[in-house]
Amino acid sequence: MILTIKLYTDAATRGNPGPSSAGVLIVTEVGQQQLFYKLPPTSNHHAEFLAAIKGFEAIINLYGTTETILFHSDSKIVISSIEKNYSKSYPEALATLVSLQEQCELVINRWISEKNNKGAHALALQGLHKFYSA
C-alpha cells in the first residue's frame, strides 16, 4: 500500500508558442515512474497546465484515487490558478486539472523553484528531443 505520492510536472516548449512536451515524475515509497508526453504546439504557460493534467491522469491510471498526492510545480501560474480556482487565459485547462484533483483523496499543491524540479524538467526536455527532432 502506497501512503503518499509525490508528483512533479514540467513542460518544455521550443518557441512561444511552439512544439511542446510534458515531463512527469511520480515518486512513491516503492520507486518512481519517469514519463514524458508529446503535447500540441502551444505556449509555455498552457503547456505547464497540460503537463499537470498528464501527471494527474497518469497517477489515476497507475494508482487510483485513494492516495495522498503532493503536487509540485515550478509554474507559478498553475499553482496560483489552482489556489484561486481562476485562470483568465486558460480556464478550460484549469477546469480539467481541478476536476482531476477533485477525484483524488487529498491533494496538496506546492510551488517549487526550477532548481528543485530538475527531474521533471529533464523528462520534458527528453520528450521535446524525442518527439520534435528531425
Side-chain angles (χ1 to χ4, degrees):
M1 179 170 112
I2 296 171
L3 302 173
T4 302
I5 297 171
K6 294 179 184 176
L7 171 63
Y8 299 84
T9 67
D10 199 17
T13 302
R14 190 177 300 141
N16 199 18
S20 301
S21 65
V24 174
L25 177 61
I26 301 170
V27 181
T28 68
E29 288 88 354
V30 296
Q32 60 179 269
Q33 298 282 329
Q34 298 180 0
L35 309 165
F36 52 82
Y37 300 91
K38 184 177 185 178
L39 300 176
T42 190
S43 71
N44 186 61
H45 287 314
H46 188 227
E48 293 284 358
F49 278 97
L50 297 177
I53 289 166
K54 291 291 188 188
F56 276 92
E57 288 173 344
I59 282 179
I60 290 168
N61 288 333
L62 292 168
Y63 302 101
T65 59
T66 61
E67 308 299 337
T68 297
I69 300 166
L70 304 176
F71 171 51
H72 301 85
S73 174
D74 62 15
S75 172
K76 289 183 180 181
I77 190 170
V78 168
I79 298 300
S80 68
S81 294
I82 294 168
E83 289 171 351
K84 295 184 231 172
N85 197 25
Y86 174 78
S87 173
K88 179 180 178 181
S89 300
Y90 311 103
E92 297 87 7
L94 176 61
T96 301
L97 177 57
V98 168
S99 174
L100 290 166
Q101 286 193 344
E102 287 175 346
Q103 293 176 45
C104 300
E105 184 79 18
L106 174 65
V107 177
I108 299 168
N109 300 297
R110 183 170 173 226
W111 176 84
I112 58 173
S113 67
E114 287 183 27
K115 75 175 184 173
N116 290 320
N117 203 24
K118 289 181 181 176
H121 182 72
L123 290 165
L125 290 176
Q126 186 177 347
L128 196 62
H129 179 74
K130 177 180 178 164
F131 298 127
Y132 294 104
S133 291

